[in-house]
Amino acid sequence: MDLSQGPCLTTLVVFENTINKELIRSLHVYRLENGEENEVEREFVFRKDGPYVETAAAPLLLLQGVPAHELFEGRVIGLWLCSFAFHAHRLPRFFFIPSLLSISRNPKLKSIPTLANDLQLIFQRGCGTEDRGPSRELSKETCTRDGDNHYHLKRSLLVLDQDLNCLPNSGANSELLKSRQTEQNATGVAVKKKKRADSKDVARIALEDLAKYFDLPIVEASRNLNVGLTVLKRKCREFGIPRWPHRKIKSLDGLIRDLQEEAEQRQQDEAAAYAVAKRRMMLETEKESIEKEPFIELKSETKRFRQDIFKRRHKARALKN
């Protein structure tokens, strides 16, 4: 497909309904040949037990008056949470498409071509490669960009014949690695090297397996999963996780701990104790949401509360000194 002809997709923002998870809204911005922009808002029903369908949509997001180029992942508008945002004028160095919006991982998207076609264009513009499954054949894509932000795609095929957990050309060194599997240390005691999981085991790792270790640093999580750090990061990208959520969860745990201590100190004041308990419940709910959907950013209200805590501690240390 020639991306330089016809309307050019400049922005695509996808929102999930926070109450009904099956409702999805998308905002598409196309640049026309005359230079003007055309904004189109669509609504879909992502049925779990049936095909996806597009429904008639009133322009709820457009009526909020927020410019499309200012929308980002984690932004909340009413009952809608932004789960994916693409802006052609500011492509990140690495960008991730959630598995729900990946055509190769979610074939149901083909039943709603108005969204699927634009997602495919975004994948091509990102110069990424999608997992082709057991064929072990990956498409290697390169893009060139002209002065008008149009992208031209070149595609070639690259066949991978080695285990993704091993270094390139590891086949030639396999015998050497086997011979060194058991080594003798200086005292003559046999030392066995820890064997990494092979590609079949890596492919079986599900999002639920990763979620068990979200509360650990990524290095410890890779050790517990028995995979390399690079392989774990690759799995995170497949599931649409741009950053390992350990720090967000650790930050929320610290805030919840602080609120628990404050609640114990304010037991006599019922109004203050109620406000602290309510805040703590909100943080615990947010933590559960991040554990289920790790790509979600911390709420702006939580960030402000965390900043207040930092300022309070800094002020207390200054007074003490």
Side-chain angles (χ1 to χ4, degrees), residues 6-14 26-32 35-42 62 66-71 86-89 114 118 121-122 125:
C8 177
L9 179 70
T10 59
T11 298
L12 173 61
V13 189
V14 179
S26 62
L27 180 59
H28 310 243
V29 181
Y30 303 95
R31 189 177 61 197
L32 306 179
E36 296 181 355
E37 288 189 342
N38 180 30
E39 295 181 329
V40 181
E41 186 172 340
R42 299 186 172 104
L62 291 174
V66 181
H69 65 270
E70 293 183 5
L71 296 173
F86 163 81
H87 303 286
H89 65 282
T114 51
D118 284 353
L121 284 176
I122 290 172
R125 292 184 180 186

Side-chain angles (χ1 to χ4, degrees), residues 69-165:
H69 65 270
E70 293 183 5
L71 296 173
F72 53 87
E73 293 177 14
R75 177 73 182 268
V76 178
I77 298 180
L79 298 177
W80 300 91
L81 170 67
C82 179
S83 60
F84 176 73
F86 163 81
H87 303 286
H89 65 282
R90 59 170 189 267
L91 284 177
R93 185 177 178 185
F94 303 103
F95 88 50
F96 313 94
I97 298 180
S99 54
L100 182 67
L101 301 177
S102 173
I103 298 175
S104 65
R105 298 185 175 278
N106 187 6
K108 286 185 177 182
L109 287 168
K110 296 179 181 179
S111 60
I112 44 173
T114 51
L115 178 60
N117 292 341
D118 284 353
L119 288 170
Q120 185 63 27
L121 284 176
I122 290 172
F123 166 71
Q124 293 174 351
R125 292 184 180 186
C127 306
T129 57
E130 286 197 58
D131 182 8
R132 301 297 182 189
S135 66
R136 299 180 64 81
E137 191 174 86
L138 299 179
S139 62
K140 184 180 181 182
E141 299 177 341
T142 57
C143 291
T144 58
R145 173 173 151 183
D146 59 23
D148 294 328
N149 280 337
H150 290 148
Y151 293 77
H152 307 280
L153 185 69
K154 297 179 181 179
R155 185 188 294 255
S156 60
L157 294 178
L158 175 65
V159 179
L160 300 179
D161 291 324
Q162 73 269 5
D163 193 325
L164 293 178
N165 283 309

Side-chain angles (χ1 to χ4, degrees), residues 60-309:
L60 297 179
L61 301 176
L62 291 174
L63 290 176
Q64 299 297 322
V66 181
H69 65 270
E70 293 183 5
L71 296 173
F72 53 87
E73 293 177 14
R75 177 73 182 268
V76 178
I77 298 180
L79 298 177
W80 300 91
L81 170 67
C82 179
S83 60
F84 176 73
F86 163 81
H87 303 286
H89 65 282
R90 59 170 189 267
L91 284 177
R93 185 177 178 185
F94 303 103
F95 88 50
F96 313 94
I97 298 180
S99 54
L100 182 67
L101 301 177
S102 173
I103 298 175
S104 65
R105 298 185 175 278
N106 187 6
K108 286 185 177 182
L109 287 168
K110 296 179 181 179
S111 60
I112 44 173
T114 51
L115 178 60
N117 292 341
D118 284 353
L119 288 170
Q120 185 63 27
L121 284 176
I122 290 172
F123 166 71
Q124 293 174 351
R125 292 184 180 186
C127 306
T129 57
E130 286 197 58
D131 182 8
R132 301 297 182 189
S135 66
R136 299 180 64 81
E137 191 174 86
L138 299 179
S139 62
K140 184 180 181 182
E141 299 177 341
T142 57
C143 291
T144 58
R145 173 173 151 183
D146 59 23
D148 294 328
N149 280 337
H150 290 148
Y151 293 77
H152 307 280
L153 185 69
K154 297 179 181 179
R155 185 188 294 255
S156 60
L157 294 178
L158 175 65
V159 179
L160 300 179
D161 291 324
Q162 73 269 5
D163 193 325
L164 293 178
N165 283 309
C166 301
L167 294 173
N169 302 322
S170 61
N173 299 324
S174 58
E175 294 299 326
L176 180 61
L177 291 174
K178 288 179 182 179
S179 66
R180 293 182 179 178
Q181 192 69 31
T182 304
E183 294 183 345
Q184 296 290 333
N185 62 8
T187 59
V189 180
V191 178
K192 290 186 178 181
K193 286 190 175 181
K194 190 176 180 181
K195 186 179 179 182
R196 292 291 186 185
D198 59 22
S199 295
K200 292 181 180 179
D201 294 331
V202 172
R204 293 193 195 101
I205 296 176
L207 181 59
E208 291 76 12
D209 299 320
L210 300 184
K212 296 176 184 177
Y213 305 104
F214 281 162
D215 59 332
L216 298 177
I218 190 169
V219 175
E220 292 185 29
S222 68
R223 201 175 295 130
N224 290 332
L225 288 167
N226 197 31
V227 298
L229 184 59
T230 303
V231 175
L232 179 55
K233 290 181 178 179
R234 188 184 299 122
K235 291 297 294 185
C236 288
R237 289 197 293 271
E238 289 178 8
F239 292 118
I241 306 174
R243 294 188 64 183
W244 189 252
H246 162 65
R247 290 188 176 182
K248 289 188 286 189
I249 293 175
K250 184 179 178 182
S251 178
L252 288 172
D253 282 336
L255 294 176
I256 292 171
R257 244 187 341 264
D258 292 339
L259 286 174
Q260 187 174 1
E261 295 175 359
E262 189 173 348
E264 293 175 356
Q265 296 172 0
R266 297 192 176 187
Q267 289 181 353
Q268 304 300 327
D269 188 346
E270 293 185 3
Y274 174 77
V276 170
K278 184 178 179 181
R279 171 78 70 174
R280 180 184 172 188
M281 189 180 301
M282 290 173 59
L283 292 176
E284 289 175 347
T285 303
E286 186 174 1
K287 179 185 173 184
E288 292 176 1
S289 299
I290 291 177
E291 288 174 343
K292 293 178 182 178
E293 300 176 345
F295 56 83
I296 295 178
E297 293 294 332
L298 291 176
K299 294 180 180 178
S300 56
E301 184 180 356
T302 303
K303 291 180 179 178
R304 286 195 299 269
F305 176 64
R306 182 176 59 181
Q307 190 67 25
D308 291 340
I309 294 289

Side-chain angles (χ1 to χ4, degrees), residues 15-25 43-48 55 78-81 100 293:
F15 285 81
E16 296 180 5
N17 192 287
T18 54
I19 296 179
N20 186 350
K21 298 295 184 181
E22 292 188 349
L23 291 181
I24 303 292
R25 270 188 177 264
E43 182 172 309
F44 308 93
V45 180
F46 280 31
R47 294 172 179 165
K48 293 182 179 179
T55 61
L79 298 177
W80 300 91
L81 170 67
L100 182 67
E293 300 176 345

